[in-house]
Amino acid sequence: MLLSPGVDLNRLPSFRNHEHTASVSLFKQAAECCGLSHVFLNPGTTEMWLVAALDVMAAETQADAKTFPPMHSTLCLQENVCTGAADGYFRMARRPAGTVLHLGPGLANAMSNLHNARRARSPILNIVGQMSSWHIAADSVLNSNIPSLASYASAVVVCPHLQRNPDGDGKAKNIDNTSGHWRLHDWLSNQGEVWAVLNGHPRAKRATRGGSSDGSATGRKSIGGHWHSPITANGKQAIIPDSKEPLVEVTTTVVEDNPGSRIVTLVVPHDLSWEPMELPHGFLPRTPSIAPAEGQLAPPPKDRAPFGTVEAFARECVKAIRGVGQGEAALYLGGDALLEEGGALEAAGLVAAATGSSLLSETFFARVDRGAGRASPDRLIYFPAEAQKTLNKHKMLVVIDSPLPVAVFGYKDSPSRLVQLPEEAIWRFDTQIWGSGSAAIVLKLMADELKAADVVKPGENCGGIFVKESRPSMPPAEKTLSSPLMCKVIANLQPEDVIIVDEGLTSAGTYWDESKGCPKFTHLAITGGAIGSGPALSLGASLASPGKRVINIQADGSAMYGLQALWSQARERTPVTTIICANNSYAILKVECLKQEVPNPGCVTQAHTDLKGPVLDWCRLAEGQGVPAMRATTVGELAAALEKGLHTDSPFLIEACLA
């Protein structure tokens, strides 16, 4: 921004009374109600009061850390890094992270990784600045339709609307035409919808257009598909002194077109962010934990769960597995079912081993806890014909916490839906109906029904479901690097408890099998197909997991989509080792040309799937953002560089030149 000549930056007005603003109240309520403790931000003019609120939070933590837990914040140089980091943070910490984004263009920049986060079902609280209420009608250059943008990936969009006097002078005016401050609706009073989404609990049945099916019980009305919140929530009000009537209406839009999304976007008008606002302690109810205790699952509506209880589903499903015969069923796992948390993955392994069933993982998983001693599912192959063959060789498919698998693209003469079994042979347990933590509960109930723990001895009579510790041998040091050799080196050297962020795409195809017997580790992958998430995911995952190392296996072309994450890694000194798979091409597009039998790809096709001329210099790109780097062309050079990176307590990048 250009300032007029002679402006003294030291004499610009300071934030007035910023310890009692709506912005401060927002962060305090978010911290209390959903455990928000980290925010990734790329702010602009309309978000500076939100930034100042983080100063207030920091000062209060410094004064009394027991009463005021820290609210950490990380500056990101591009909004897509903010949302990718928030996604990675949740996948490891299992609690939501927040973002602060600048107006509509900032939200648009963040959309690619919000798409991935929606597919990962990661809860994110986006706080997006908006023009001052009285300035929106002027349609300044940065004005845009933020709610429409937000609806692309969000489950809920919350927009406070400030009523101002009609002469357009920007001054607040009470409804009764008396002077003074306005009183604020609680613009988070829609907590029943907002925090249920963030914490993964089933949402209540919502009112329909033009009427209310259950709105009378909640005090909310459905008008044009939007919620209009009442002035009070839980019998309490948010009050600003000297006010007599509310001048703020809150519209909460529930986006029905985004099943599985746990993203909430709050659109904060600039003038709202600076207004004084005090919420009583406990104004919003504290939400339950991510994983409820056993026996705490509320039964869903009968029309959505014909078995009525999770126990009934487990019992009848086991009966059906036994009915099709030993080895004729497959368990297809996604989401929470792939986690060690709550015993989900172990129970799935016991069920598979006890019944001889195949154990499969969704292709684009958010997280899998892997390694020696753990159940090791087979990852469903990417290409539809091969995936369809794998799925349909079984007589029964049990799908836990995942949509039914479909082809990523609609190829010529190729299937869309990959499962061709009759409906009665497909058993699906949907955690969006039962709530977070329910995957572990149903799998453990199934294992108990089979008495699997008494029958199966992991590593002995488990049919290879539970893997023993083993690593691939180190290839000869003088060998020229290739993708398979790179994967062997990584699996040979990766430490226990490492977090692998895998966006290697074609270059990391053999890593899954090479690493299955490594010491225990966590594996994160791209979920929505929107490339460029790896560096940002690594940033968030590292900040969520102090003391753990991160290895990011990163395709070179997609790395350029999120390169700015390296700067934030350097600023935060995160122990992330990035391995760039430098094949200097969009190799996946070359594969797709072959798969689709594109006739006679010529010089134009070759030019647009090639990253040579100029060749990207990854060492210089990294060093320019404060990240030291090395280049490796042989197995020995990669092993030496990886050893160095793994013993560096800050980010490190390796350019692996692949033949």
Side-chain angles (χ1 to χ4, degrees):
M1 284 292 186
L2 296 176
L3 294 175
S4 300
V7 171
D8 184 354
L9 293 176
N10 294 319
R11 299 189 66 182
L12 290 175
S14 61
F15 292 112
R16 55 181 175 82
N17 301 322
H18 63 290
E19 65 272 18
H20 298 301
T21 62
S23 296
V24 174
S25 184
L26 184 159
F27 283 120
K28 287 184 176 180
Q29 292 291 323
E32 179 180 353
C33 296
C34 72
L36 192 74
S37 62
H38 207 114
V39 181
F40 299 91
L41 65 164
N42 185 284
T45 300
T46 48
E47 293 76 44
M48 292 316 297
W49 284 89
L50 291 163
V51 176
L54 295 172
D55 272 328
V56 174
M57 303 285 283
E60 290 180 341
T61 298
Q62 189 173 11
D64 185 357
K66 290 185 178 180
T67 305
F68 303 103
M71 178 69 73
H72 301 285
S73 57
T74 298
L75 178 64
C76 302
L77 297 185
Q78 209 269 356
E79 294 88 348
N80 210 34
V81 176
C82 296
T83 49
D87 181 8
Y89 187 94
F90 170 77
R91 296 197 203 182
M92 294 308 302
R94 310 298 293 159
R95 62 178 181 272
T99 71
V100 175
L101 308 172
H102 182 42
L103 300 172
L107 179 59
N109 283 344
M111 205 58 73
S112 175
N113 278 332
L114 283 178
H115 170 84
N116 288 326
R118 178 173 76 87
R119 290 297 185 182
R121 285 181 276 166
S122 295
I124 295 175
L125 178 61
N126 291 318
I127 303 169
V128 182
Q130 170 66 294
M131 292 293 178
S132 293
S133 304
W134 47 269
H135 190 51
I136 293 174
D139 195 25
S140 69
V141 292
L142 279 168
N143 190 43
S144 62
N145 189 336
I146 297 175
S148 291
L149 284 169
S151 67
Y152 170 75
S154 301
V156 177
V157 182
V158 181
C159 302
H161 304 284
L162 278 65
Q163 299 178 22
R164 296 284 176 172
N165 72 36
D167 58 17
D169 61 7
K171 296 179 180 178
K173 196 170 186 178
N174 285 335
I175 289 175
D176 62 0
N177 294 322
T178 60
S179 61
H181 296 290
W182 40 267
R183 179 167 62 195
L184 187 67
H185 267 235
D186 170 32
W187 52 301
L188 291 181
S189 66
N190 304 281
Q191 74 281 357
E193 197 68 55
V194 172
W195 306 120
V197 168
L198 286 173
N199 285 273
H201 303 297
R203 294 187 233 168
K205 189 176 180 182
R206 288 180 286 277
T208 57
R209 262 180 208 275
S212 176
S213 61
D214 65 344
S216 58
T218 63
R220 296 183 294 194
K221 297 178 181 178
S222 175
I223 302 178
H226 292 171
W227 289 124
H228 290 256
S229 75
I231 298 171
T232 61
N234 301 328
K236 300 177 182 178
Q237 292 182 337
I239 299 175
I240 292 175
D242 301 325
S243 66
K244 294 188 177 180
E245 294 293 341
L247 286 172
V248 180
E249 184 178 55
V250 183
T251 300
T252 299
T253 303
V254 179
V255 185
E256 300 285 2
D257 294 335
N258 290 333
S261 176
R262 294 169 64 187
I263 298 167
V264 174
T265 299
L266 302 179
V267 183
V268 184
H270 193 188
D271 49 344
L272 174 57
S273 71
W274 67 58
E275 285 294 336
M277 171 183 174
E278 293 184 12
L279 293 178
H281 178 71
F283 186 81
L284 296 176
R286 189 177 301 278
T287 53
S289 63
I290 286 290
E294 280 193 52
Q296 298 300 306
L297 292 180
K302 290 183 179 179
D303 60 339
R304 301 183 68 190
F307 291 101
T309 67
V310 66
E311 291 84 1
F313 178 93
R315 183 173 58 253
E316 295 300 319
C317 186
V318 166
K319 182 179 177 180
I321 293 174
R322 285 172 167 158
V324 297
Q326 189 81 0
E328 297 290 351
L331 273 66
Y332 180 80
L333 308 180
D336 292 352
L338 292 166
L339 305 184
E340 190 175 48
E341 179 182 286
L345 184 60
E346 179 184 15
L350 290 173
V351 171
T355 60
S357 300
S358 300
L359 192 63
L360 305 174
S361 158
E362 60 185 350
T363 310
F364 301 100
F365 54 83
R367 170 177 166 178
V368 184
D369 293 331
R370 301 185 61 211
R374 289 173 171 162
S376 180
D378 293 325
R379 187 178 186 180
L380 189 66
I381 196 166
Y382 169 82
F383 293 108
E386 293 87 342
Q388 187 181 44
K389 184 177 179 181
T390 297
L391 291 165
N392 294 310
K393 69 181 181 182
H394 303 94
K395 294 181 179 178
M396 176 180 174
L397 186 67
V398 182
V399 181
I400 306 290
D401 202 11
S402 172
L404 285 173
V406 297
V408 178
F409 299 107
Y411 298 96
K412 183 180 179 181
D413 299 324
S414 188
S416 177
R417 300 187 181 278
L418 301 180
V419 181
Q420 303 297 320
L421 297 173
E423 185 175 342
E424 61 272 16
I426 302 171
W427 290 62
R428 186 181 173 203
F429 187 85
D430 188 353
T431 60
Q432 294 179 55
I433 295 175
W434 292 93
S436 289
S438 57
I441 293 173
V442 73
L443 286 166
K444 287 193 288 187
L445 287 170
M446 291 173 67
D448 290 344
E449 183 74 16
L450 290 161
K451 295 182 172 52
D454 299 331
V455 176
V456 177
K457 303 300 178 187
E460 297 179 14
N461 64 339
C462 62
I465 294 290
F466 293 87
V467 294
K468 297 180 179 180
E469 184 167 342
S470 64
R471 291 182 186 265
S473 57
M474 181 66 74
E478 68 278 5
K479 285 258 188 183
T480 300
L481 269 183
S482 63
S483 296
L485 292 178
M486 176 194 70
C487 293
K488 284 182 179 292
V489 172
I490 296 170
N492 180 274
L493 295 176
Q494 66 182 60
E496 187 170 6
D497 286 331
V498 70
I499 301 167
I500 298 291
V501 177
D502 178 5
E503 199 186 5
L505 305 179
T506 55
S507 297
T510 60
Y511 175 76
W512 180 270
D513 289 334
E514 295 287 7
S515 60
K516 66 188 301 182
C518 288
K520 292 180 179 179
F521 68 101
T522 301
H523 195 161
L524 311 184
I526 183 171
T527 50
I531 61 175
S533 64
L537 275 177
S538 300
L539 170 66
S542 181
L543 290 170
S545 312
K548 288 192 175 184
R549 305 204 67 87
V550 177
I551 297 176
N552 175 200
I553 308 173
Q554 184 62 49
D556 54 356
S558 57
M560 289 298 291
Y561 288 50
L563 186 65
Q564 302 93 330
L566 294 178
W567 183 88
S568 296
Q569 291 179 15
R571 183 183 177 96
E572 297 287 342
R573 296 188 61 80
T574 55
V576 176
T577 299
T578 300
I579 301 175
I580 298 293
C581 308
N583 56 17
N584 297 310
S585 73
Y586 283 129
I588 185 62
L589 296 184
K590 295 179 179 179
V591 173
E592 292 286 1
C593 277
L594 291 173
K595 290 290 291 186
Q596 297 182 68
E597 299 180 352
V598 175
N600 304 317
C603 59
V604 174
T605 300
Q606 293 172 16
H608 294 312
T609 57
D610 188 281
L611 298 181
K612 298 172 184 174
V615 172
L616 294 165
D617 188 333
W618 284 99
C619 291
R620 293 176 66 183
L621 287 168
E623 289 163 357
Q625 297 189 74
V627 176
M630 292 178 65
R631 182 175 288 108
T633 60
T634 66
V635 165
E637 290 173 352
L638 176 59
L642 185 53
E643 289 274 17
K644 182 175 180 178
L646 293 175
H647 289 87
T648 301
D649 292 327
S650 56
F652 190 81
L653 183 139
I654 302 167
E655 181 179 351
C657 301
L658 303 178

